[in-house]
Amino acid sequence: MSPTVVFNNQEQPKTPMQGGKGMIIFIIVFILMLFSWQIINLVTNWYWFQEVGYQTVFSVSLLAKIKTGLLFGIGFIIIFFGNLYLAGRLSTRTRPLDLGTAIPVTPLEIDQRSLNNLIISSTLVFGFFSAMQGAAHWADLLRFTNSTPFGLADPLLDKDVGFYVFSLPFLLYVYAWTMTVIVISTVAVGLIYFLRRSFIFIPPKTVYFSPAAKTHLLILGAIICFLLIFGYWLDLNELLFAKRGVVFGPGYTEVTTQVWILKFLMGLSALAGIGVLSFIFLKNWRIPVAVLLLLVVVVFLGRGVYPAFVQRFKVIPNEIVLEKPYLERNIKYTRIAYKLHDIEDREFPVEDDLTIEGIRRNDPTVKNIRLWDHAPLLWTYGQLQEIRTYYKFTDVDNDRYNIKGEIRQVMLSPRELSYPSLPARTWVNEHLIYTHGYGAVMGPVNRISPEGLPEFFIQDIPPISSTEIKVTRPEIYYGETSNDYVFVKTKRPEFDYPVGDQNVYSRYEGKGGVPLSFFRKVLFAARFGAFTILLSNDITSESKVMYYRTIKERVSQIAPFIRLDADPYLVVSKEGRLLWILDGYTVTERFPYSEPIPKMGNYIRNALKAVVDAYDGSVDLYISDADDPIMKTYAKIFPGVFKNLDQMPEEIQSHLRYPVGMMSIQAHMYRAYHMEDPQVFYNKEDLWSIPIKSMQGGEGEMEPYYTIMRLPNEKKEEFILLLPFTPRNKDNMSAWMGARCDAPNYGKVIVYKFPKKKLIYGPRQIEARIDQDTEISQQISLWNQSGSQVIRGSLLAIPIERSILYVEPLYLAAERGQLPELKRVIVGYANTIAMEENLELSLQRIFGGALIKSKETGKPVSERAVVEKEKTYRNLAIDALSHYRKAQEALRKGNWSGYGEEMKIVENILQDLEKKNQP
């Protein structure tokens, strides 16, 4: 006799499930504990945003996180709880009874009260995690609702690029979230029906569902099918970022096979959903199963087998013919994405006709050729100017200043505090006493002392300047290597700088830092995990706490959506304040058809300039690319946060640099994408490379370098960022890229191409010729054998008029020492190589004659003689001023003997200066 199924509306005896309410209470307490630390960080961050004046960023971001979290959290709760509650109610009305040979699906019986507690607790847990996950997409929501069109449509679907950059990421998350919610809800609903015996299994193959369970589960299944329509539509848009053929973006295979396949799948998904719904009313299960199987088969064949077959047997044998229009798209959109389309190409007709007169005409260029590499100079600065072990020079930056009426390229390095090197690493020392670095050193890029050491425009502690550039506020509370937090205006005096065996102390007078109260002390003690903050009597109501003290950290808190440059650089303002300038980039990986760079994306703009005061930590953000749609979107999201570049003070604008990071990326892409003909591009007929340079311990690509020079056909010298190119697998030079840094031409990039029929020596070939020079190689070998180490500096290619001049410095350091001295300068021009003690002598050896003329006689004289004379006077004056300050410090302390000794030294120096000035 066949088994039967009877549906009964009576409730079964309840078995209470203990701990339901306890579980809910535990979940609520856990969430509150988790959020307590978040609340502390939130409140203390609000204090910080008040300090820097960017409350708009904080409030807009927080509100967006709350909105996004509530949107996805409440949405999940409504869908999930609604389905589970409905399943719980429906499963109590009609439940199958076990009759005959029916096998019960579960031995567990759960009463309605326990089921409700389970539903509520699981809804809270899943809803909480959904809200947290959704809140992380707050920026996607803001970009979606504030999108800016690019004014450029993709060639496949004819949508504005802004859709892919701003809208598509959020839509992808919405789809993934919705599908996840429905799938989890379907599984949970099925579990409830399973636990409530709303279906049974009757051997050998029959499963009977209650009508309610069957209808509910089929509706959810149909919703999943209908969601697939949206998913395949998104996949259609995602085709713009496919990578199957020779270039990034949809090629022949994607366009001819995937577009119609995805549209067909959208239709099949709709039919599958309808077929699943039909099973609610019809007993024939074959229709929905057939449609679903067809959907699976089409996905397998149409998305996998078919395009692979077309690519392998049709495209690859005829690749250049079939892929040509898509190559053109890739070239066009990649050039736009990296701003290569704005690069101006010019011819550079190289001639070996440079003379000593040409060198004199380009005296500003020659005087600003950089002879000091960053690494040797950093070592030398460390030995000569760190003064104490707890001071460190971590970086050296190139910049230019107007000194005595002429533009001079300088090297500038801040003297920062190194907390790991403090004499005693106590909490008081690290957070109350040693609060800031002090001053900076500045020197010309090409001057050397008779001992082979760098000259200084600014040096010592307190800073002594030999030019009109003065540092009046040398304290560095915000830098590149600052610690987590310090307290200022406490009862403890702050260490300012050392003088002999004594220390000078100070008290902070700026506006930086967050004011304190007892309540705030409690919050910051919790935030920093330092109970000492509460116990310290040195911290008063007048005290302030400084945190987010590194430049990159400070800017990234305000603009977390901006990719920051790796190298902030220091500037001395006219008022003598130390200011940091940091470049920021807008990037995305969603620019159609554009070739991506790993870990960066496939679109970049240098859209932001951040200026941070080293003393008070104030931050100003300037839009440096007003045409960038991504920057426009952020300006709409955060009104009033960004300033226009013309609002930047002119003195700061004069120190803006084209970023090395930006040029490095552009040069990397331009190696191939200077070829605009698809046939030439496909065959890589004119592929360029970045020159290889010798380095300590190996070789590496040459980096862009700054120099002051006059571009061909221009009237005056400019600050330029420069990088040469060579042909692939060859060492001769094919072109050089120059980025202009001075107004009104800031940001303009020019590529000068050399004649292809003429051999122009590249850096590696010049290096080889230097190695082959008998005189130079013998001298280097002699130095290396005498217990010293020869350090070869970077080889620079300097365009002068229609010629290329090559300059490479040589440094000498003791094997166990860290004080490299610049001993020789090698100059290469045409077929001539010369090595002398300085640049002037090397140039004279190649071109003959003297480089400059005497102001008194108008006749050519040696620059070295002029420099030595100026150097003598300047050094004597600096020494006199240094000892005079020491005398005044001794007088202030009542040290009369020390005062007398220092003033005697001052008198001797002045007498010596008087003798040297006598005719």
Side-chain angles (χ1 to χ4, degrees):
M1 184 175 181
S2 61
T4 60
V5 177
V6 178
F7 292 94
N8 191 347
N9 292 328
Q10 297 181 357
E11 285 285 346
Q12 297 298 313
K14 298 180 180 180
T15 305
M17 181 179 288
Q18 302 296 325
K21 288 185 177 179
M23 176 62 71
I24 296 174
I25 294 173
F26 172 78
I27 292 170
I28 294 174
V29 171
F30 172 77
I31 292 174
L32 290 176
M33 290 181 62
L34 183 65
F35 269 96
S36 63
W37 295 106
Q38 296 292 330
I39 291 172
I40 290 173
N41 281 328
L42 189 70
V43 173
T44 52
N45 279 342
W46 167 248
Y47 295 150
W48 184 83
F49 276 95
Q50 283 184 313
E51 175 209 343
V52 294
Y54 287 94
Q55 297 95 321
T56 300
V57 175
F58 181 89
S59 58
V60 170
S61 302
L62 178 61
L63 188 60
K65 291 175 184 177
I66 294 173
K67 286 180 178 179
T68 313
L70 290 176
L71 174 65
F72 291 106
I74 294 176
F76 187 98
I77 289 172
I78 291 173
I79 297 173
F80 186 76
F81 179 78
N83 278 284
L84 267 64
Y85 178 78
L86 184 62
R89 297 291 294 176
L90 293 176
S91 63
T92 64
R93 297 179 181 176
T94 54
R95 298 187 301 110
L97 299 176
D98 304 336
L99 299 175
T101 59
I103 300 175
V105 293
T106 174
L108 177 63
E109 185 75 21
I110 183 170
D111 64 274
Q112 187 65 42
R113 183 178 179 182
S114 299
L115 178 63
N116 289 341
N117 288 334
L118 178 62
I119 291 174
I120 293 172
S121 58
S122 60
T123 299
L124 289 176
V125 171
F126 283 114
F128 171 75
F129 286 109
S130 177
M132 292 296 98
Q133 182 69 22
H137 291 266
W138 64 273
D140 288 337
L141 175 62
L142 289 177
R143 286 189 287 262
F144 177 77
T145 55
N146 294 274
S147 61
T148 303
F150 275 67
L152 176 70
D154 79 88
L156 180 63
L157 303 178
D158 199 33
K159 290 188 176 73
D160 187 87
V161 171
F163 168 80
Y164 302 99
V165 174
F166 302 118
S167 301
L168 187 57
F170 185 70
L171 294 177
L172 286 168
Y173 179 72
V174 169
Y175 169 72
W177 175 86
T178 307
M179 183 63 78
T180 302
V181 174
I182 298 300
V183 170
I184 292 177
S185 298
T186 303
V187 173
V189 164
L191 182 63
I192 288 178
Y193 286 127
F194 180 80
L195 293 175
R196 303 281 286 185
R197 296 189 177 184
S198 290
F199 52 88
I200 60 174
F201 175 66
I202 301 176
K205 299 179 180 180
T206 307
V207 176
Y208 280 91
F209 290 84
S210 69
K214 175 184 175 182
T215 301
H216 196 175
L217 290 171
L218 286 175
I219 289 175
L220 290 174
I223 291 174
I224 292 175
C225 292
F226 291 134
L227 274 177
L228 287 176
I229 301 173
F230 183 48
Y232 288 126
W233 180 80
L234 292 174
D235 286 345
L236 184 63
N237 290 280
E238 285 280 273
L239 278 182
L240 274 295
F241 312 102
K243 172 65 175 175
R244 189 192 300 267
V246 292
V247 293
F248 184 82
Y252 178 86
T253 300
E254 279 72 29
V255 172
T256 58
T257 69
Q258 294 304 287
V259 173
W260 72 268
I261 284 289
L262 287 169
K263 292 179 179 179
F264 183 60
L265 286 172
M266 291 165 62
L268 274 182
S269 298
L271 289 176
I274 295 172
V276 171
L277 288 177
S278 70
F279 191 47
I280 298 175
F281 309 101
L282 304 175
K283 294 183 178 180
N284 188 353
W285 53 267
R286 292 176 179 83
I287 295 176
V289 170
V291 178
L292 289 173
L293 285 176
L294 179 61
L295 181 66
V296 172
V297 170
V298 172
V299 169
F300 175 73
L301 295 177
R303 299 283 281 155
V305 177
Y306 177 45
F309 181 85
V310 171
Q311 181 71 23
R312 175 67 180 86
F313 295 101
K314 184 175 183 180
V315 175
I316 292 180
N318 306 281
E319 197 166 47
I320 183 56
V321 176
L322 297 179
E323 298 282 21
K324 184 176 180 179
Y326 310 106
L327 277 169
E328 291 175 343
R329 295 176 181 180
N330 174 262
I331 293 170
K332 174 185 175 181
Y333 283 81
T334 299
R335 287 175 61 86
I336 293 173
Y338 293 94
K339 216 172 182 180
L340 306 183
H341 66 302
D342 287 340
I343 294 178
E344 181 182 354
D345 288 336
R346 296 183 184 177
E347 297 298 323
F348 192 91
V350 179
E351 299 293 342
D352 297 332
D353 57 357
L354 187 62
T355 64
I356 192 64
E357 291 299 325
I359 296 291
R360 290 172 184 161
R361 285 194 300 270
N362 292 272
D363 182 58
T365 299
V366 175
K367 289 173 66 174
N368 286 286
I369 294 176
R370 176 167 60 85
L371 300 181
W372 285 101
D373 271 11
H374 292 75
L377 186 63
L378 199 61
W379 298 338
T380 304
Y381 278 175
Q383 293 296 311
L384 298 179
Q385 286 291 309
E386 281 182 356
I387 312 298
R388 293 290 188 272
T389 57
Y390 42 79
Y391 285 128
K392 293 296 179 186
F393 294 105
T394 59
D395 191 21
V396 183
D397 296 304
N398 281 87
D399 203 354
R400 72 284 197 194
Y401 288 80
N402 194 301
I403 299 176
K404 296 180 181 179
E406 62 179 358
I407 190 75
R408 296 298 301 272
Q409 185 181 186
V410 302
M411 307 289 277
L412 182 63
S413 183
R415 186 185 291 106
E416 297 201 57
L417 201 61
S418 173
Y419 285 92
S421 303
L422 289 178
R425 296 198 63 184
T426 64
W427 186 90
V428 172
N429 273 351
E430 291 194 23
H431 301 290
L432 301 183
I433 297 178
Y434 292 91
T435 58
H436 57 274
Y438 200 87
V441 294
M442 177 192 289
V445 296
N446 67 324
R447 290 284 189 89
I448 56 175
S449 70
E451 297 80 19
L453 301 176
E455 284 192 17
F456 296 100
F457 287 156
I458 300 175
Q459 62 179 328
D460 294 342
I461 299 178
I464 298 174
S465 176
S466 61
T467 68
E468 60 266 39
I469 304 170
K470 310 292 183 184
V471 178
T472 59
R473 182 55 76 185
E475 299 90 344
I476 302 176
Y477 283 87
Y478 302 91
E480 293 187 81
T481 60
S482 304
N483 67 350
D484 291 339
Y485 65 95
V486 295
F487 291 91
V488 296
K489 293 188 175 181
T490 65
K491 293 181 180 179
R492 292 267 184 173
E494 297 177 46
F495 170 77
D496 205 23
Y497 59 89
V499 176
D501 296 332
Q502 304 296 319
N503 292 331
V504 176
Y505 294 88
S506 66
R507 183 176 174 83
Y508 184 69
E509 300 174 351
K511 61 181 182 180
V514 173
L516 292 174
S517 63
F518 179 76
F519 174 69
R520 292 187 176 189
K521 285 176 65 175
V522 174
L523 290 178
F524 284 111
R527 177 191 174 106
F528 299 125
F531 193 63
T532 313
I533 295 174
L534 288 177
L535 300 178
S536 176
N537 294 324
D538 295 317
I539 302 174
T540 68
S541 58
E542 296 181 359
S543 302
K544 292 183 175 183
V545 58
M546 295 178 173
Y547 50 109
Y548 293 136
R549 298 180 62 215
T550 64
I551 304 306
K552 293 183 68 175
E553 186 179 36
R554 203 164 182 81
V555 176
S556 66
Q557 286 298 313
I558 301 172
F561 39 81
I562 298 293
R563 180 79 59 91
L564 298 178
D565 193 79
D567 183 29
Y569 61 98
L570 198 66
V571 168
V572 182
S573 71
K574 288 184 179 180
E575 295 80 16
R577 299 182 73 91
L578 299 179
L579 306 174
W580 295 94
I581 299 180
L582 179 61
D583 286 282
Y585 308 103
T586 52
V587 298
T588 182
E589 57 184 13
R590 297 238 158 230
F591 200 91
Y593 273 107
S594 174
E595 191 73 25
I597 293 177
K599 299 181 181 180
M600 195 283 292
N602 63 357
Y603 171 94
I604 186 170
R605 290 293 185 271
N606 176 213
L608 183 75
K609 302 285 185 181
V611 179
V612 182
D613 192 297
Y615 185 67
D616 62 31
S618 59
V619 181
D620 291 302
L621 304 178
Y622 299 93
I623 298 176
S624 54
D625 191 339
D627 296 327
D628 176 35
I630 298 180
M631 198 69 233
K632 288 181 180 179
T633 295
Y634 290 135
K636 287 193 290 185
I637 294 172
F638 304 102
V641 169
F642 304 100
K643 302 176 182 178
N644 294 326
L645 195 60
D646 56 14
Q647 295 177 265
M648 179 184 286
E650 288 187 11
E651 61 162 314
I652 306 301
Q653 289 190 44
S654 66
H655 292 285
L656 295 182
R657 311 184 313 188
Y658 197 86
V660 170
M662 182 71 179
M663 176 177 272
S664 297
I665 290 172
Q666 288 180 306
H668 177 82
M669 301 306 297
Y670 201 75
R671 297 177 306 169
Y673 284 91
H674 72 278
M675 299 178 285
E676 298 184 60
D677 183 274
Q679 180 78 41
V680 176
F681 182 92
Y682 177 81
N683 293 322
K684 300 293 186 289
E685 296 176 15
D686 193 21
L687 186 64
W688 291 351
S689 297
I690 295 174
I692 301 297
K693 69 173 183 178
S694 299
M695 302 169 59
Q696 292 297 113
E699 293 183 330
E701 285 189 351
M702 180 179 285
E703 297 177 352
Y705 52 91
Y706 294 100
T707 189
I708 291 177
M709 59 172 289
R710 186 169 70 243
L711 293 173
N713 301 320
E714 299 293 337
K715 295 181 179 180
K716 65 176 184 177
E717 283 74 19
E718 305 176 47
F719 195 55
I720 300 292
L721 182 62
L722 189 147
L723 182 67
F725 289 105
T726 62
R728 182 182 60 171
N729 298 327
K730 293 185 179 180
D731 294 327
N732 60 290
M733 202 184 304
S734 57
W736 61 273
M737 176 182 285
R740 308 174 80 170
C741 300
D742 294 338
N745 297 307
Y746 175 84
K748 294 182 179 179
V749 181
I750 306 172
V751 170
Y752 291 90
K753 298 181 178 180
F754 297 131
K756 292 186 177 181
K757 296 182 179 180
K758 187 169 185 178
L759 174 64
I760 311 298
Y761 289 123
R764 204 170 187 179
Q765 291 173 320
I766 296 295
E767 292 275 11
R769 293 185 57 205
I770 292 173
D771 293 336
Q772 295 167 3
D773 187 279
T774 306
E775 177 185 351
I776 296 175
S777 61
Q778 287 179 349
Q779 183 63 65
I780 292 176
S781 298
L782 183 62
W783 278 328
N784 283 327
Q785 293 172 4
S786 61
S788 298
Q789 178 187 8
V790 176
I791 303 172
R792 295 179 66 164
S794 298
L795 178 68
L796 304 182
I798 309 295
I800 297 181
E801 295 188 351
R802 296 184 298 176
S803 301
I804 301 293
L805 196 68
Y806 302 90
V807 178
E808 179 180 281
L810 286 183
Y811 310 95
L812 194 63
E815 285 186 353
R816 298 183 180 179
Q818 292 293 324
L819 187 62
E821 300 174 0
L822 201 162
K823 284 299 183 184
R824 295 290 186 271
V825 177
I826 302 174
V827 174
Y829 174 72
N831 294 314
T832 307
I833 299 289
M835 182 180 74
E836 294 294 340
E837 293 182 7
N838 55 50
L839 179 61
E840 179 203 19
L841 294 177
S842 294
L843 291 173
Q844 287 181 1
R845 182 171 168 183
I846 292 177
F847 298 102
L851 299 183
I852 62 175
K853 297 182 179 180
S854 170
K855 293 181 180 180
E856 293 80 7
T857 65
K859 297 180 180 180
V861 296
S862 167
E863 182 185 17
R864 186 176 183 85
V866 176
V867 169
E868 291 298 330
K869 184 177 180 180
E870 293 178 352
K871 191 186 304 179
T872 301
Y873 291 154
R874 183 169 61 251
N875 290 342
L876 287 173
I878 291 174
D879 288 344
L881 181 59
S882 177
H883 286 287
Y884 174 76
R885 288 181 175 176
K886 291 179 181 178
Q888 294 300 309
E889 186 65 29
L891 181 62
R892 187 176 66 84
K893 294 180 179 180
N895 183 1
W896 292 100
S897 61
Y899 172 77
E901 292 175 0
E902 294 295 336
M903 289 304 296
K904 182 64 176 177
I905 295 175
V906 171
E907 180 183 2
N908 293 335
I909 293 174
L910 293 176
Q911 289 176 352
D912 189 24
L913 185 60
E914 182 182 27
K915 292 177 182 178
K916 291 182 179 294
N917 199 39
Q918 291 177 352

